[in-house]
Amino acid sequence: MRPELVERILEFGAVTGSRNEEVDAVVVGSGCGGAVVAKELAGAGWSVLVLERGGLYLAERGDFDQREDDMMAKLGAGRGLDTTVDGGTAVLAGNNVGGASVHYWADSHRLPRDRCELFAREHGVQHRSYDELVPWFERIERDLNIHEAPDELRNRNNWLFLEGAQRIGLEVERVRQARKNCVRSGYCMQGCAYDAKQSQLVTYVPEALARGARLFADCEVERVLVEGGRAVGAQARFLDRRSCEPSGHTLTVKAKRAVVVAAGGFSTAPLLMASGIADRSGQLGKNLQMNPGMRTLGIFDEDVVQWRNIPAAVGCLQHRLARYDEQGRYLEGGFLLYPDQLQPASLAACLPGYGEGHRALMELAPKIGAVTSWIDERFAGTVTLGDDGLPLWDFPIVGEDADKFRHAITLHARILLAAGAREVIVPDRTLRRVDGRWVVGARIKDDREIDAVVAQVDLSPGSIFYAAPHPAGAARMGGSPDTSVLNSDGEVWSTPGLYVADPSAFPTVVSVDPSESIMAWSYVTATRMLEKRG
């Protein structure tokens, strides 16, 4: 980032006292939603202040050291340790300037047409049909250099996925990526040390700053300020980045035109609740979906080294939509299939077992390939506030959604075996007797074993490591204040001047990586805001 733009960012070390600010708009969050809105409002001549709870990390300062423990603590909300209340699913969210886009894989998909139609038909969403979003998609794809991943970005795990999937008759396609001049380090989830991944940190945040916006990092918004039923600003506190504890200095921002909450799909609803925002629909904090995912591992006789190059240059989307019989019973599908990528420490956390058994698997780490899936879940959970005021995410994996995971695991195993894996491991916590020895996790060596083994896999909380990277729905948009939190402008029905610009607004998960969808919807929200508020 250019030095003159960095100067427009206030970091914790430069905060010497409490402050008061007055602007046209305050934007809470600097990820795919907040960065777009800040850029557009600043470009229209509004004075804009972006408040980001996390820190500013820059490649040119050497902040991305590619150490998994360091970068998880820097970039992950809750230092990467937040989970659902049952401990079963990791809640993955960004906590840094640029939001989750700094540690996402850079996979880029347009919001599917069928999902746009669903949102309009069943929820009354307007102004956001697929055809209306196309100009925004095209703009985003130019700005972020989104293109299909070329062959040279595929690691061996990608090639094995392609070979195995095609051998069992699956359709594999290139996955479009937001990248420029990729050096193939393999540490995408730790933030790109080379500014090759086109996250908000290197695209729309700098553009917002160049257009006149300012940004305060290490600044946690505690509540939205409301007067006379209208949003008028935000109350925040500065944090000491080293400890994540309050520094003792506060910030009060008065916003003359709008307050935009873009704190992310896991955090926006809790902030609105903590602010006492009225919700006639009763839907605030409800309808929480997460796109939970898990992986299946394959041990090969050759080196795979899955932690080099990009995570998913190819993928299989033919099972994205679930299929049902005439009685509405689930048959198959409802998930994506991708080659997985885990760096060594993360791989260790996902391998089953402990002690000597776990050590033996880690000695094989370079030869372990993996396939992952995120399910397009049918059911939804909730987010509430605990007695300490912190969010509690409750999300069970039950019924049809558990069936989706079993179908996905079946395909994972078939792909890995077809690609040449000598053993497939489904990493649950169950102790089993295999070849005269006790092992943790389900083991498959032959296609004929798949159905019986997968049927016995323990999917209960804490048995398999689930990760939820794509939240949606907790402040959903719709056509009526009786059934939704936001109107189709992105404005909270009950509170004029208060907008939401992040995946909380989606009525459901979007069934693909949501980054491009979030940006497109945020462009619409910014446009509607400017048309209404000048």
Side-chain angles (χ1 to χ4, degrees), residues 368-389:
I368 295 177
V371 179
T372 188
S373 287
W374 297 276
I375 66 166
D376 183 25
E377 65 265 40
R378 179 76 169 269
F379 300 105
T382 62
V383 57
T384 57
L385 296 179
D387 293 339
D388 57 2

Side-chain angles (χ1 to χ4, degrees), residues 115 291 320-321 334-335 374-378 404 509 511:
R115 206 51 54 116
N291 262 168
R320 179 177 64 86
L321 298 178
F335 50 82
W374 297 276
I375 66 166
D376 183 25
E377 65 265 40
R378 179 76 169 269
K404 289 174 182 174
V509 287
S511 75

Side-chain angles (χ1 to χ4, degrees), residues 479-515:
S480 168
D482 295 325
T483 58
S484 57
V485 180
L486 314 176
N487 64 27
S488 292
D489 291 342
E491 190 172 23
V492 175
W493 285 105
S494 67
T495 312
L498 177 58
Y499 292 81
V500 171
D502 65 27
S504 306
F506 295 135
T508 70
V509 287
V510 301
S511 75
V512 292
D513 181 282
S515 56

Side-chain angles (χ1 to χ4, degrees), residues 1-11 14 19 56 58 60-61 209-210 213-216:
M1 191 181 298
R2 301 200 310 270
E4 66 271 21
L5 300 182
V6 177
E7 291 177 0
R8 299 189 64 81
I9 301 175
L10 177 68
E11 300 185 67
R19 303 171 65 109
L56 172 67
L58 298 172
E60 57 265 36
R61 296 197 307 207
L209 298 172
R214 293 178 298 147
L215 191 152
F216 290 177

